[in-house]
Amino acid sequence: MKIFCVGRNYADHAKELGNAIPDEPVIFMKPKSALLQPHTPFYYPEFTNELHYEVELVLRVSKNGKYIQDKFANKYYDAITVGIDFTARDIQAELKEKGLPWEKAKAWDNSAVIGKWVPFASLKNKNDINFGLYKNKELVQQGNSKSMLHNFDSLVSYISNYFSINIGDLIFTGTPAGVGEVVVGDELEGFMEQESLFTLEVK
Ligand code: ZN
């Protein structure tokens, strides 16, 4: 199982971090060990002093493929949820400054959180999915799939030009504006279309 992540897929978020808006999707990966397993506590990692949440729509790959054309891409994923791409922002800033890879900031154990799966078949319009995140009951991030620079189909197609995609792989499709810090004791709740899909306490 592989976890693909997309960076800078919402213009408003690229701007808030002072990044240019890329023409092509920014792709990075997390290993399988990054996925927080159900009923497992989430602990604030020791190596960071600036842990950020990034709420994202997450796709579940349902078919193996390679070199998938845009127009067929929707056959390759069947469910969606919201998740968090946890990021050690202080470490990321250091790595970015040196032009080094991001894994230490993004790919550590339990840095990928996902909620309950929702089948695509039950959604009205995949290009109009509202989602977001509450921190301690306060709305901190809100986005809509219509604001993505690269939509689900073009992401799947693009990724498959470089990597085979396989059943069970996950694709984190990028975060909207509003990323911010969490501290021990914070409670996060991710929602999609008004439905709560996960809650998590930072321990
Ligand atoms: Zn992200």
Side-chain angles (χ1 to χ4, degrees):
M1 188 273 262
K2 307 187 286 303
I3 304 171
F4 298 101
C5 300
V6 182
R8 304 172 198 170
N9 200 23
Y10 290 80
D12 55 356
H13 168 65
K15 273 185 213 143
E16 77 179 342
L17 291 188
N19 292 314
I21 294 163
D23 298 330
E24 284 184 68
V26 174
I27 306 294
F28 61 96
M29 288 167 85
K30 297 188 188 234
K32 192 175 159 188
S33 48
L35 189 65
L36 182 72
Q37 297 302 315
H39 314 296
T40 308
F42 176 84
Y43 292 103
Y44 195 107
E46 288 175 16
F47 47 77
T48 178
N49 291 306
E50 194 187 6
L51 180 63
H52 271 204
Y53 53 78
E54 293 189 358
V55 75
E56 314 201 357
L57 291 171
V58 184
L59 304 179
R60 183 177 71 188
V61 173
S62 57
K63 191 175 167 176
N64 299 333
K66 223 181 155 170
Y67 304 119
I68 301 157
Q69 291 178 49
D70 242 72
K71 61 181 173 188
F72 300 124
N74 69 335
K75 307 260 183 267
Y76 288 80
Y77 52 90
D78 67 346
I80 185 165
T81 188
V82 272
I84 298 184
D85 163 22
F86 272 113
T87 303
R89 196 69 75 198
D90 47 353
I91 294 177
Q92 190 193 28
E94 220 179 283
L95 296 170
K96 273 163 82 172
E97 200 187 324
K98 295 179 186 159
L100 294 172
W102 285 359
E103 277 86 348
K104 285 200 298 179
K106 290 267 195 190
W108 35 276
D109 287 3
N110 302 334
S111 61
V113 173
I114 56 169
K116 194 179 80 176
W117 291 109
V118 175
F120 263 98
S122 71
L123 291 169
K124 271 182 275 165
N125 179 358
K126 69 178 179 178
N127 295 315
D128 186 9
I129 300 171
N130 191 47
F131 68 102
L133 186 74
Y134 290 97
K135 181 173 97 169
N136 304 325
K137 313 262 182 243
E138 185 196 329
L139 183 66
V140 287
Q141 269 194 291
Q142 191 169 13
N144 189 296
S145 59
K146 69 177 173 224
S147 310
M148 295 193 299
L149 297 171
H150 305 280
N151 65 21
F152 301 142
D153 292 347
S154 54
L155 290 175
V156 166
S157 169
Y158 184 86
I159 289 169
S160 77
N161 288 333
Y162 297 86
F163 309 95
S164 56
I165 63 164
N166 297 106
I167 296 171
D169 287 351
L170 306 179
I171 304 175
F172 280 67
T173 59
T175 195
V179 299
E181 226 180 318
V182 286
V183 294
V184 173
D186 280 346
E187 246 185 54
L188 299 173
E189 180 178 14
F191 69 89
M192 191 178 82
E193 299 288 88
Q194 323 311 334
E195 194 190 345
S196 173
L197 297 183
F198 71 81
T199 56
L200 172 148
E201 191 194 332
V202 180
K203 303 234 182 217

